[in-house]
Amino acid sequence: MSGSALPSFDPSDPLGLDELLSDEDLAVRDTVRRWAADRVLPRIAEWYERGELPGIRELARELGALGALGMSLTGYGCAGASAVQYGLACLELEAADSGIRSLVSVQGSLAMYAIHRFGSEEQKQEWLPRMAAGEVIGCFGLTEPDHGSDPAGMTTYAKRDGTDWVLTGRKMWITNGSVAGVAVVWARTDDGIRGFVVPTDAPGFSAPEIRHKWSLRASVTSELVMDDVRLPADAVLPEVTGLRGPLSCLSHARYGIVWGSMGAARSCFEAALDYAKSREQFGRPIGAFQLTQAKLADMAVELHKGILLAHHLGRRMDAGRLRPEQVSFGKLNNVREAIEICRTARTILGANGISLEYPVMRHATNLESVLTYEGTVEMHQLVLGKALTSLDAFR
Amino acid sequence: MSLRIVVAVKYVPDATGDRHFAEDLTTDRDAVDGLLSELDEYAVEQALQIAEEADDAEITVLTVGPEDAKDALRKALSMGADQAVHVEDDALHGTDALGTSLVLAKAIEHTGYDLVVCGMASTDGTMGVLPAMLAERLGVPQVTLLSEVKVEDGKVTGRRDGDAASEQLEAQLPAVVSVTDQSGEARYPSFKGIMAAKKKKVESLDLSDLGIEEDEVGLAGAWTKVDSAAERPARTAGTIVTDEGEGGKQLAAFLAEQKFI
């Protein structure tokens, strides 16, 4: 084989992974990348510093117009995109900020996915088209103040009263909660854990915002307080009973995080590479020093391995062959590596690494949440440990 | 009857890439990725808005260019255009603006049209002469450099913003218009649009389909010729104004000289 026939080395795609993508995949990626560059990047540092996402409703409508909300679902105004395309969108959104990706993950993979998969036809018709358009924001209530990794212990309870349900309890760390028009809330009933579609204007429902976060500052995080919220019989998601319901939604959302985390990592890597080539110390660019090059090489290796892993899982999901343990594998690896890449990038940027003028510290602090939410690193290790040994270490 | 809109677009080298000339002083298309000229996105956007206002309209997006120029058409189809026409012929290599206007005019006549919409200029050549040439070739009115455009009652109307005045212009259809980058942000292709685009018709034509002789186009048929091209030298250090009481005036004079104010 002649050397001249080899494609040139692309520092932004050293493994040539773009060749795995179709023209449509690339078009989806370019659209999201451009939207994020136009609409998020110019203002994200300000939002982050203020700890607000002031234009969230407008952003949601714009994401809806793109087709990014519930994008891999079919019908009801959803785009019907592939899992790989959904993943690419997550990566591009998180390259802007994990908070924006979280908005989309929770809307599409948790709230909409739950209704789409387990809802009645009436529930789907009522909520999905408006959620796909970004007119209604959704949230997903599973975690409670005292029940995180072990949701089976939840205390939120839905009591039958005639044909009605009466819902009481608290949910914690709920993305989109305070701006949501609809909440999918999981509660204990006399017949096991059930999901409820709760309009957030229902009497007794409130969603105070959680302040004082040092991570995901450009994201709305809330508590859901349900105090005798009376719901009609048809508020329950009819098609599922038990934890299988929320866990399958989480598996879908985690899949998006496998891709998304690599977006945050890419953003930090790019910042570090750029900085290493332009910042001079001891009379030359710091990128010329072996210690910096070792960092850059290791970052690039983990970044693109992670993207390759995400792509592999995406193809399995599109083929209907993706197991939850494989999602755990991906989430465990990619978020852990992403945060390591961001921390290493921080060291390359020196003091500038802590400034909001660069994306690095913002991504690194965001990933502290991503490392924990939708299954902590430790839970994914336990899931894999159990799958490998057939010995259950946590139940 | 349906309003037939043709949007003439160009596939240009990505300005963020490392752009060079080839040995024959034409654009080196191998060295850098191409895309739909950003200024043409405004034309597609205005065509889409006109079509949305009309009861019945059909948008054909047209380009003259190499095989990869299909990417530009695909982008416009993803944004919402209905069909595309791609004129591709090896003999077109090196065609200048005059030759391109001939090919576009023939292709537009082949497709049929009521309104032709162009961008204000390409982002690579930036000549901005094509809309006028096209109108001349087609023998129809031209209303160029519009920052606002509307079609009503068989007429196209629009506003052209100059340095000193804004003109309100009008022409009977059929007509050629060009729109500026002030005409309104181009929409992002939606994911549904992207999926739908691959099912839309892209008609491929060559010179013989359009009845054009090879010697009318290409490098040999070009009326303009690039004699030489040189990389622009690196930027030199700027002017330093030392304030000795007149600094403000000197800065204002500099800005005025550069036409910033």
Side-chain angles (χ1 to χ4, degrees):
Chain A
M1 208 166 76
S2 92
S4 63
L6 287 176
S8 56
F9 182 86
D10 178 357
S12 68
D13 182 21
L15 293 176
L17 298 180
D18 281 2
E19 289 169 26
L20 299 173
L21 303 173
S22 70
D23 287 348
E24 285 76 35
D25 296 342
L26 293 169
V28 166
R29 184 177 75 177
D30 288 350
T31 290
V32 183
R33 188 179 293 183
R34 191 160 151 189
W35 177 84
D38 290 346
R39 306 287 297 128
V40 180
L41 291 182
R43 288 180 288 174
I44 186 65
E46 184 201 332
W47 296 338
Y48 207 84
E49 186 147 40
R50 285 164 55 188
E52 292 173 0
L53 196 46
I56 185 169
R57 292 184 191 281
E58 194 187 342
L59 290 173
R61 276 191 289 271
E62 289 179 20
L63 288 161
L66 289 182
L69 303 177
M71 71 181 274
S72 60
L73 305 177
T74 50
Y76 309 98
C78 303
S82 70
V84 168
Q85 288 165 349
Y86 172 52
L88 290 165
C90 287
L91 189 151
E92 294 302 329
L93 291 171
E94 193 148 358
D97 193 82
S98 304
I100 306 298
R101 201 267 307 137
S102 296
L103 163 65
V104 170
S105 285
V106 170
Q107 177 83 350
S109 281
L110 295 180
M112 292 177 71
Y113 182 86
I115 295 170
H116 193 272
R117 176 145 179 208
F118 303 122
S120 65
E121 187 55 35
E122 291 71 27
Q123 288 167 336
K124 293 180 198 182
Q125 296 283 1
E126 182 179 358
W127 295 107
L128 292 179
R130 285 186 290 154
M131 294 174 83
E135 289 161 13
V136 172
I137 295 175
C139 68
F140 183 90
L142 176 65
T143 296
E144 298 189 351
D146 296 325
H147 303 276
S149 293
D150 184 12
M154 72 171 65
T155 57
T156 297
Y157 180 63
K159 185 180 73 182
R160 274 285 190 182
D161 182 26
T163 58
D164 287 354
W165 294 94
V166 178
L167 195 58
T168 300
R170 281 172 71 204
K171 298 289 179 182
M172 195 66 180
W173 305 114
I174 307 305
T175 298
N176 298 350
S178 308
V179 292
V182 63
V184 171
V185 176
W186 300 92
R188 179 178 297 289
T189 72
D190 290 341
D191 304 317
I193 288 169
R194 303 295 302 267
F196 294 86
V197 181
V198 184
T200 55
D201 59 3
F205 183 98
S206 63
E209 189 166 352
I210 298 173
R211 313 294 305 189
H212 312 299
K213 295 176 294 176
W214 287 110
S215 175
L216 291 181
R217 289 176 57 76
S219 175
V220 174
T221 313
S222 317
E223 192 181 346
L224 305 185
V225 181
M226 291 150 293
D227 191 7
D228 286 338
V229 178
R230 182 167 290 271
L231 300 167
D234 61 7
V236 73
L237 291 172
E239 301 298 331
V240 73
T241 300
L243 269 184
R244 184 177 66 84
L247 293 185
S248 63
C249 300
L250 286 170
S251 195
H252 199 263
R254 283 168 190 150
Y255 162 76
I257 295 171
V258 175
W259 284 90
S261 54
M262 288 296 109
R266 184 188 75 195
S267 172
C268 291
F269 173 76
E270 286 172 349
L273 180 61
D274 193 48
Y275 194 87
K277 290 197 291 190
S278 57
R279 167 79 171 177
E280 293 191 7
Q281 290 293 285
F282 304 104
R284 50 183 164 153
I286 60 171
F289 293 108
Q290 290 181 358
L291 288 175
T292 308
Q293 290 197 359
K295 289 179 188 177
L296 290 169
D298 287 349
M299 289 160 84
V301 164
E302 290 307 331
L303 171 60
H304 296 285
K305 267 160 70 180
I307 293 172
L308 184 57
L309 169 58
H311 195 101
H312 172 72
L313 297 185
R315 287 186 167 184
R316 291 192 72 87
M317 184 176 262
D318 277 325
R321 294 178 57 78
L322 184 63
R323 292 197 53 85
E325 297 86 349
Q326 293 164 339
V327 177
S328 286
F329 190 122
K331 203 228 171 210
L332 169 61
N333 181 75
N334 281 15
V335 182
R336 195 167 56 183
E337 294 303 333
I339 204 166
E340 196 55 39
I341 289 168
C342 294
R343 287 169 179 161
T344 309
R346 217 289 301 149
T347 67
I348 292 176
L349 270 80
N352 283 308
I354 70 158
S355 167
L356 259 179
E357 284 181 33
Y358 294 88
V360 175
M361 194 70 166
R362 179 166 55 79
H363 284 306
T365 55
N366 277 340
L367 286 171
E368 293 290 348
S369 292
V370 181
L371 197 65
T372 287
Y373 75 16
E374 319 248 344
T376 64
V377 166
E378 293 76 9
M379 285 313 300
H380 292 301
Q381 287 173 319
L382 291 173
V383 167
L384 276 179
K386 179 183 163 191
L388 292 168
T389 62
S390 303
L391 301 170
D392 189 339
F394 59 98
R395 271 193 290 251
Chain B
M1 197 177 124
S2 159
L3 177 71
R4 295 166 303 169
I5 305 172
V6 177
V7 188
V9 302
K10 189 173 184 185
Y11 176 73
V12 298
D14 186 347
T16 62
D18 198 11
R19 294 181 295 178
H20 294 287
F21 288 98
E23 266 176 40
D24 63 0
L25 299 178
T26 61
T27 309
D28 181 357
R29 293 189 179 271
D30 295 332
V32 56
D33 287 339
L35 43 71
L36 171 62
S37 171
E38 196 185 333
L39 290 170
D40 292 342
E41 288 187 18
Y42 294 97
V44 175
E45 176 61 37
Q46 288 309 309
L48 289 167
Q49 289 188 20
I50 291 167
E52 283 160 5
E53 286 291 312
D55 291 336
D56 183 17
E58 185 174 66
I59 301 174
T60 304
V61 53
L62 163 68
T63 198
V64 177
E67 167 69 22
D68 290 346
K70 280 201 173 60
D71 289 354
L73 296 176
R74 201 60 73 189
K75 172 81 178 277
L77 293 173
S78 302
M79 289 170 73
D82 299 294
Q83 56 184 14
V85 174
H86 182 198
V87 185
E88 186 192 1
D89 197 306
D90 289 344
L92 284 166
H93 176 78
T95 303
D96 66 356
L98 210 54
T100 303
S101 70
L102 171 69
V103 179
L104 285 172
K106 293 279 189 191
I108 289 166
E109 282 168 345
H110 165 91
T111 305
Y113 71 103
D114 299 301
L115 177 68
V116 177
V117 186
C118 305
M120 61 193 285
S122 63
T123 55
D124 57 352
T126 59
M127 293 176 70
V129 293
L130 233 133
M133 288 179 170
L134 207 48
E136 285 298 312
R137 296 251 190 216
L138 294 168
V140 300
Q142 48 169 306
V143 191
T144 54
L145 300 174
L146 300 180
S147 45
E148 205 177 87
V149 62
K150 258 203 179 84
V151 171
E152 270 170 346
D153 308 326
K155 287 180 293 197
V156 56
T157 59
R159 196 182 75 236
R160 179 194 287 152
D161 294 322
D163 284 345
S166 285
E167 300 165 286
Q168 199 65 39
L169 302 163
E170 177 184 305
Q172 288 290 330
L173 297 180
V176 174
V177 302
S178 72
V179 299
T180 70
D181 54 358
Q182 300 301 305
S183 57
E185 282 298 311
R187 66 195 63 189
Y188 304 94
S190 74
F191 302 154
K192 278 187 189 168
I194 291 167
M195 310 307 164
K198 62 182 168 187
K199 298 188 194 88
K200 290 177 180 170
K201 190 177 125 198
V202 180
E203 185 183 10
S204 285
L205 301 172
D206 62 17
L207 290 177
S208 65
D209 293 324
L210 297 174
I212 298 171
E213 297 299 325
E214 288 194 3
D215 58 8
E216 294 179 86
V217 295
L219 264 184
W223 285 45
T224 54
K225 182 164 166 274
V226 179
D227 281 333
S228 67
E231 303 270 320
R232 184 186 286 189
R235 270 181 214 212
T236 52
T239 311
I240 293 174
V241 175
T242 310
D243 185 14
E244 288 163 351
E246 296 284 304
K249 281 183 188 167
Q250 283 174 274
L251 284 176
F254 172 80
L255 291 172
E257 190 190 336
Q258 302 291 325
K259 293 194 165 39
F260 285 121
I261 54 174

